Amino acid sequence: MSKVYTKTGDKGTTGLLTGERVRKTSARVEAYGTVDEINSALGLARANCSNQEVKEAIVKLQKLLMLIMADLASGGNKEHYVTNDHVITLEQMIDEFDAKLPPLKNFIIPGDTPGAAALDLARTVTRRAERQTLRFKEAETDAGVTEALLISLNRLSDFCFVLSRFEAESTANL
């Protein structure tokens, strides 16, 4: 890439992985754009977290988000990157971290630590991405949004919640 700017999006369109051009305001672009926001929020969380286990888990989530974005930007291709194996892995990771936490007895107010607060932000952005992806799937019959992708987004928000708690707990114990 010789220049950062290409000028191909100056008229309000963007290119999908297939080369197809779509409006930047399309439901598809809204969905994968919000997934991109999750990735940035997780990057902020990773930069602010103290616990190395949490940082390593965040990197794994960021790699999964790249696959989710690829699926959403694929223009309804039949090939899908996010599979049920990703859902199973997410559930295993959630269970692993959750087992190390005390039982939840009350609501959590975000902001105990910078890392935990950033993870909570990532959780809420993930919930928005899930809603936008559902709207996209409902709006376009050839959206190519799989059940595994939707479940992955749902589990991702759950995992952000658990990681936020884990980060806050581990930081409090230092």
Side-chain angles (χ1 to χ4, degrees), residues 121-167:
L121 176 63
R123 177 188 61 79
T124 61
V125 176
T126 303
R127 290 286 190 213
R128 180 164 38 95
E130 183 182 10
R131 291 188 306 270
Q132 288 178 325
T133 302
L134 280 167
R135 274 195 292 277
F136 164 53
K137 182 179 180 177
E138 291 168 359
E140 294 189 29
T141 55
D142 67 341
V145 176
T146 64
E147 183 176 338
L149 187 148
L150 288 170
I151 293 171
S152 291
L153 284 172
N154 188 276
R155 295 300 180 278
L156 181 66
S157 64
D158 295 335
F159 197 18
C160 287
F161 176 74
V162 169
L163 285 176
S164 176
R165 286 186 62 215
F166 192 87
E167 172 67 16

Side-chain angles (χ1 to χ4, degrees), residues 31-92:
Y32 74 70
T34 306
V35 173
D36 193 25
E37 286 181 54
I38 301 166
N39 209 346
S40 294
L42 284 174
L44 178 66
R46 188 164 45 95
N48 281 284
C49 283
S50 301
N51 186 291
Q52 190 60 35
E53 281 182 275
V54 173
K55 288 182 174 208
E56 290 169 9
I58 290 171
V59 170
K60 290 176 184 174
L61 295 179
Q62 289 179 295
K63 289 178 181 180
L64 173 60
L65 288 170
M66 295 295 191
L67 298 177
I68 291 172
M69 283 189 287
D71 266 357
L72 291 171
S74 68
N77 281 347
K78 299 297 180 217
E79 180 183 353
H80 298 286
Y81 303 102
V82 180
T83 67
N84 289 327
D85 288 341
H86 293 101
V87 173
I88 292 166
T89 299
L90 277 171
E91 289 173 349
Q92 290 169 343

